[in-house]
């Protein structure tokens, strides 16, 4: 059974995706991985071939994943090294798929391809990352987390195994000294409570807009709450 709710992949998006992949391949070593391909296929088993995205491995030292308009998703080799098992990597890929499924890529300016035609690839890469950071917002990132968990569960992955990704993200950020990336502007979960003071909520709101996402521990806690609600509806 296919999913009729998926947004259509337009010809202009396909052209943009091919152009961006070519730019990435000019500056970085890229490859395909049978293991990664098998995970992507499992997550997309209910999709028509034309609706599926291809995952490209980029050999970068950054621990990240990203996507752009078109048919490609990118994960770095360092992220694959840090992922704790297949379910964690499936969640990562599912998160990028979610940005496509939820229509988040519609906010990406397609005219960027023409503007950047003569730019060096490294600058294109940085600008695309910056544009995504601006348009996604913490709310869209959180929605992508929930959708990724749904995709993983549908594909037969244990959701608790998927959440082990956040253990690896936390360890990596702490190694880099990014305490705020793990705990937020204060080391507590008070900002998640309905009774949190207005100043606490405002401080957290401003921090999230600067970073573009929730702190790692808050992301995980939000997904644990969502998973409990999801299981309660069954």
């Amino acid at each position: 059974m296919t999913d009729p709710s998926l947004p259509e992949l337009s010809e202009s998006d396909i052209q943009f995706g091919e152009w961006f992949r070519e730019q990435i391949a000019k500056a970085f070593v890229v490859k395909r991985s049978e293991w990664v391909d098998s995970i992507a296929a499992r997550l997309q088993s209910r999709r028509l071939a034309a609706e599926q995205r291809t995952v490209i491995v980029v050999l970068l030292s950054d621990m990240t994943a990203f996507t752009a308009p078109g048919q490609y998703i990118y994960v770095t080799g360092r992220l694959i090294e840090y992922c704790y098992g297949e379910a964690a990597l499936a969640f990562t890929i599912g998160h990028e798929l979610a940005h496509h499924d939820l229509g988040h890529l519609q906010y990406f300016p397609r005219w960027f391809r023409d503007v950047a035609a003569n730019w060096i690839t490294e600058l294109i890469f940085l600008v695309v990352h910056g544009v995504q950071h601006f348009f996604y917002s913490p709310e869209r990132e959180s929605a992508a987390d929930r959708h990724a968990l749904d995709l993983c569960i549908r594909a037969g992955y244990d959701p608790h195994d998927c959440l082990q990704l956040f253990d690896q993200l936390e360890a990596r950020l702490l190694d880099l000294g990014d305490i705020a990336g793990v705990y937020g502007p204060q080391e507590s979960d008070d900002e998640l409570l309905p009774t949190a003071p207005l100043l606490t909520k405002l401080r957290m709101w401003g921090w999230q807009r600067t970073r573009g996402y929730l702190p790692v521990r808050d992301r995980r806690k939000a997904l644990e709450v969502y998973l409990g609600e999801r299981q309660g509806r069954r």
Side-chain angles (χ1 to χ4, degrees):
M1 181 182 298
T2 59
D3 189 343
S5 64
L6 296 175
E8 183 178 353
L9 189 60
S10 68
E11 184 61 31
S12 63
D13 283 354
I14 292 174
Q15 292 175 1
F16 187 101
E18 289 293 350
W19 171 79
F20 186 63
R21 182 189 61 79
E22 291 172 2
Q23 306 310 307
I24 293 295
K26 287 179 183 178
F28 310 108
V29 177
V30 298
K31 67 176 186 177
R32 297 283 297 279
S33 161
E34 290 185 7
W35 183 50
V36 173
D37 285 348
S38 68
I39 296 172
R42 182 172 171 180
L43 288 169
Q44 301 179 93
S45 62
R46 300 188 183 188
R47 302 171 190 237
L48 299 173
E51 298 171 340
Q52 296 184 12
R53 265 66 182 188
T54 300
V55 182
I56 305 293
V57 179
V58 186
L59 300 188
L60 284 173
S61 59
D62 293 345
M63 183 181 170
T64 188
F66 56 95
T67 191
Q71 62 275 48
Y72 297 107
I73 287 169
Y74 302 88
V75 297
T76 63
R78 180 56 57 87
L79 184 144
I80 294 173
E81 291 175 8
Y82 268 82
C83 276
Y84 188 84
E86 183 171 319
L89 183 54
F91 179 85
T92 301
I93 296 171
H95 180 94
E96 301 306 322
L97 282 171
H99 285 308
H100 289 275
D101 293 353
L102 300 176
H104 296 167
L105 274 298
Q106 68 178 307
Y107 303 102
F108 194 100
R110 273 49 174 185
W111 46 259
F112 172 75
R113 175 186 172 189
D114 297 325
V115 172
N118 297 315
W119 293 7
I120 61 173
T121 302
E122 290 82 358
L123 181 58
I124 292 173
F125 178 73
L126 290 173
V127 171
V128 167
H129 260 298
V131 169
Q132 290 178 336
H133 178 86
F134 179 79
F135 282 111
Y136 279 177
S137 81
E139 291 79 14
R140 294 191 182 107
E141 292 291 356
S142 295
D145 276 349
R146 294 190 296 272
H147 190 75
L149 200 61
D150 290 339
L151 290 175
C152 288
I153 292 171
R154 186 185 299 176
Y157 290 105
D158 186 324
H160 299 287
D161 291 342
C162 295
L163 297 186
Q164 289 180 346
L165 170 68
F166 294 100
D167 295 333
Q168 306 308 113
L169 290 176
E170 179 174 322
R172 176 63 172 167
L173 290 176
L174 291 177
D175 284 345
L176 295 173
D178 188 0
I179 306 300
V182 175
Y183 300 105
Q186 58 180 9
E187 296 184 21
S188 76
D189 292 325
D190 292 346
E191 69 275 1
L192 298 178
L193 300 174
T195 56
L198 178 60
L199 184 59
T200 298
K201 292 183 177 180
L202 287 174
R203 182 168 58 247
M204 194 63 189
W205 183 90
W207 183 89
Q208 290 172 9
R209 265 61 197 171
T210 301
R211 299 294 292 247
Y213 48 82
L214 296 175
V216 169
R217 289 209 171 180
D218 287 357
R219 286 180 68 187
R220 177 166 188 155
K221 182 172 183 179
L223 284 173
E224 288 171 344
V225 170
Y226 174 70
L227 183 59
E229 293 172 347
R230 193 181 191 281
Q231 292 174 336
R233 295 194 298 266
R234 295 178 59 181

